[in-house]
Amino acid sequence: MIEVELKDLPAALDSCERNVRRAIARGALAGAHRGRALIVKRTPVDMGPLKAEWRVKPGAVDFESGMGEVLATLVNDSKYIGPVENGARPHPVSPEGWAAIYEWVRRHYRGSKSEGYKLGGKGRMRRQGAGADPNRPFHGSDPEIEAITNAIVWKIRTQGQKATYFVRNSLEDLKAVMIDELNRALAHAQDGGA
């Protein structure tokens, strides 16, 4: 129980309100950071740049009042985020795109099925048997890799790219993380920790 004289009530309420506003601002920023950790784990990965682009940007918060228009933002500025999340309609592939797909196939493909290789998890080809060499080096152009690359490019030209919706599918979990952090910050402010 808190006792406040009537003449001091406006100042006490203003102080409590300011503490609550600051707690909301801190909770939103903490929620954005926890949300980043969550979405990074769910981001599809080949070599990692898409995961590395997730950033938390603090909002323009006036810490005297504790409020601002945007408290925190979780963003990914990668040029790949749109096509990975939403897919893409059929479109032509540039020579640079063809080369990037070729390199992707080269990293994940280890030989033909006739040589004892088979498709493994996450799109990787793995060789079966005692003489398997998963790190077989590649030198120059490989006709099998070119054929697979051309098949992928043809599919992109005719069918487009499938969407993953990993961000959209994570929105409820991101919301729950934000609510948890806001509640924690508010509880801390109410306990006098402001």
Side-chain angles (χ1 to χ4, degrees):
M1 180 185 215
I2 300 173
E3 290 186 27
V4 177
E5 288 191 30
L6 190 57
K7 66 180 175 72
D8 297 330
L9 185 59
L13 290 174
D14 187 45
S15 173
C16 288
E17 183 180 343
R18 193 174 17 244
N19 288 343
V20 167
R21 287 181 181 170
R22 288 179 182 163
I24 290 171
R26 278 195 309 273
L29 192 57
H33 281 287
R34 271 190 58 201
R36 180 188 178 279
L38 182 136
I39 200 70
V40 163
K41 290 178 186 175
R42 295 181 181 181
T43 302
V45 63
D46 176 34
M47 292 176 48
L50 192 62
K51 281 187 174 208
E53 286 292 323
W54 285 107
R55 303 271 187 271
V56 171
K57 294 183 179 181
V61 179
D62 175 9
F63 281 99
E64 182 58 35
S65 67
M67 297 303 278
E69 194 169 307
V70 175
L71 298 175
T73 308
L74 178 60
V75 296
N76 189 314
D77 294 327
S78 172
K79 62 183 178 182
Y80 307 113
I81 192 73
V84 171
E85 170 69 10
N86 298 318
R89 292 182 298 209
H91 62 278
V93 177
S94 68
E96 295 83 9
W98 189 94
I101 293 169
Y102 180 91
E103 284 303 311
W104 180 87
V105 173
R106 187 183 71 74
R107 282 193 310 275
H108 293 275
Y109 180 69
R110 299 290 185 222
S112 68
K113 288 182 182 180
S114 64
E115 293 177 9
Y117 291 83
K118 74 176 206 172
L119 187 60
K122 292 193 175 184
R124 291 181 171 87
M125 298 296 270
R126 305 210 186 277
R127 184 165 184 182
Q128 306 300 306
D133 181 10
N135 299 314
R136 178 175 70 118
F138 293 95
H139 299 288
S141 180
D142 186 322
E144 286 185 66
I145 293 174
E146 282 185 22
I148 294 169
T149 302
N150 288 331
I152 292 170
V153 167
W154 177 84
K155 187 171 182 179
I156 291 171
R157 279 188 196 138
T158 59
Q159 299 175 23
Q161 179 180 328
K162 185 178 177 183
T164 61
Y165 298 126
F166 74 98
V167 175
R168 183 176 75 179
N169 294 338
S170 299
L171 290 177
E172 286 300 315
D173 293 334
L174 291 169
K175 179 180 165 184
V177 163
M178 182 61 73
I179 290 170
D180 182 49
E181 285 299 325
L182 286 170
N183 287 336
R184 184 178 305 174
L186 287 170
H188 184 68
Q190 289 174 351
D191 291 340

